[in-house]
Amino acid sequence: ASYGTIRDFRRDFGRVKPILKLDLTSVTLGGHYPLTEYVMAYRLDDAERLGVSTVLNFIQLGAPFELEALRQSGRLAAECDRRGFTYLCEIMPVESAMFPDPEAPEAMVAACRTGQELGAHVIKTTMPVPSAEIAAAVAACNIPVVLAGGALAKDAAAYDAAISAALSAGVAGVAIGRNAWGAAEPAAA
């Protein structure tokens, strides 16, 4: 969650331990994530002040500005280790010369391995197509991998099957956002 959300609504998290998103980008509408730079806005001092023990930043692997994002992430990983924070690296391939199909299994292997080599304790990445192909990425990095839930699914049964296949393939979990709060009945979803 964002800095302001954690600061202002901390009690609404209940027993859930929030993760502070340290970076930000330009505001976009419509529920998609365009190719755009993300820059660090907050520091571990801010996470500490909020009582947060896990932090996250976002990398678009294959983007023209990838190298700077990787450099920032490497520094963040080292600082997290030094100060005792857990670093969750959200690293997703984007359509590019390097990744013509950003949902291909080999793109997920590259993302997971890159995040692990940067020093992440946990990886969050895109769900590959087919989802069971995440097994190679999980094996490539040997740290917990969490998949992003993705865009609002048109077929709930197929979506549930994809999640089940990914879990069977070894992912630690799926971060479901839009498929819960974007559903006609969020509580049921």
Side-chain angles (χ1 to χ4, degrees), residues 51-66:
V52 172
S53 61
T54 302
V55 296
L56 169 146
N57 77 313
F58 184 56
I59 301 170
Q60 292 177 316
L61 201 60
F65 38 80
E66 169 190 278

Side-chain angles (χ1 to χ4, degrees), residues 21-107:
K21 183 168 176 49
L22 297 176
D23 56 8
L24 55 83
T25 191
S26 305
V27 173
T28 60
L29 301 175
H32 68 287
Y33 297 94
L35 183 63
T36 181
E37 270 188 283
Y38 283 71
V39 297
M40 292 293 192
Y42 305 102
R43 301 176 313 169
L44 294 182
D45 289 345
D46 301 313
E48 187 173 62
R49 187 174 50 261
L50 292 173
V52 172
S53 61
T54 302
V55 296
L56 169 146
N57 77 313
F58 184 56
I59 301 170
Q60 292 177 316
L61 201 60
F65 38 80
E66 169 190 278
L67 187 58
E68 177 57 23
L70 294 172
R71 183 186 65 76
Q72 287 182 37
S73 297
R75 287 183 176 169
L76 175 59
E79 184 69 7
C80 282
D81 283 347
R82 190 177 74 71
R83 296 192 48 192
F85 284 85
T86 300
Y87 171 43
L88 193 160
C89 180
E90 184 173 11
I91 184 166
M92 299 183 177
V94 295
E95 189 173 339
S96 61
M98 186 182 297
F99 302 109
D101 178 0
E103 295 177 345
E106 57 271 14

Side-chain angles (χ1 to χ4, degrees), residues 127-128 130-132 134 147-151 153 155-177 179-180 189:
M127 189 177 306
S131 62
I134 195 64
L147 298 180
D155 180 344
Y159 183 71
D160 291 347
I163 290 171
S164 180
L167 291 168
S168 293
V171 299
V174 179
I176 298 173
N179 279 285

